[in-house]
Amino acid sequence: RWCYISFIISILWIGVFSFFMVSWAEVIGNTIGIPPVVMGLTLLAAGTSVPDLLSSVIVARMGEGDMALSSSIGSNIFDIMVGLPVPWIVFTAIPSKPSTVVIGSENVWISILTLLGMLVFIIIVIHCQGWKLTKTLAALMFVFYFAFLAEAIVLELPFETCN
């Protein structure tokens, strides 16, 4: 019986911490001149992915590579297909708010196409590794991630700083 109340309270705490994490990331980014898009792609993405990382490490150590990879893919699909639309619906349902949510990055299409390209490339690399999670595959995934970050940062240049 208490498990339901504990679950709801945990979700509320996650919401509170998420609110502060986003607010502080925005303040830090504005202070040192990093655009919100870059803060989202780096700091916020890393902060929200820690639970995924921990669960993937646990199941990978148990020898469940399928579950580790599926958890990561499923989590990201959930974030895109549920985590984005639900807040948008709530935001636009408030009568005093605009009826649309504006995406402030002009380069979002390039990021989406890069994401799709990397997905195809990852599938090819996993296939070449014999459908096994290897150290080489892990290193290549890091390389892909840093290439994506470099591209996103270059697309947002020049950064504006506070005066």
Side-chain angles (χ1 to χ4, degrees):
R1 177 180 139 162
W2 289 103
C3 66
Y4 300 113
I5 294 171
S6 297
F7 178 77
I8 291 169
I9 291 172
S10 297
I11 296 297
L12 291 174
W13 273 114
I14 290 171
V16 168
F17 286 133
S18 297
F19 174 80
F20 285 117
M21 183 175 72
V22 170
S23 298
W24 293 336
E26 188 175 4
V27 168
I28 291 168
N30 287 337
T31 302
I32 59 179
I34 298 174
V37 172
V38 175
M39 290 301 284
L41 287 171
T42 55
L43 191 66
L44 293 180
T48 58
S49 296
V50 169
D52 294 336
L53 171 73
L54 295 176
S55 67
S56 291
V57 167
I58 290 168
V59 295
R61 285 181 175 244
M62 294 169 51
E64 300 290 339
D66 295 359
M67 190 180 291
L69 193 58
S70 298
S71 170
S72 177
I73 292 169
S75 171
N76 287 296
I77 290 173
F78 180 85
D79 289 346
I80 292 169
M81 304 307 274
V82 177
L84 289 175
V86 168
W88 291 346
I89 290 168
V90 170
F91 179 81
T92 58
I94 300 170
S96 63
K97 299 288 184 182
S99 61
T100 59
V101 177
V102 177
I103 298 172
S105 176
E106 295 147 7
N107 301 314
V108 71
W109 289 109
I110 296 171
S111 295
I112 291 170
L113 292 174
T114 303
L115 175 66
L116 292 174
M118 285 195 174
L119 181 62
V120 169
F121 204 61
I122 287 293
I123 291 170
I124 292 169
V125 170
I126 292 173
H127 174 73
C128 290
Q129 293 292 312
W131 298 100
K132 294 183 176 113
L133 301 177
T134 63
K135 290 180 183 178
T136 303
L137 178 61
L140 285 172
M141 286 183 168
F142 271 118
V143 169
F144 294 156
Y145 177 69
F146 288 116
F148 173 73
L149 286 181
E151 175 205 33
I153 291 169
V154 167
L155 289 174
E156 293 298 322
L157 288 174
F159 296 164
E160 296 178 16
T161 57
C162 294
N163 293 325

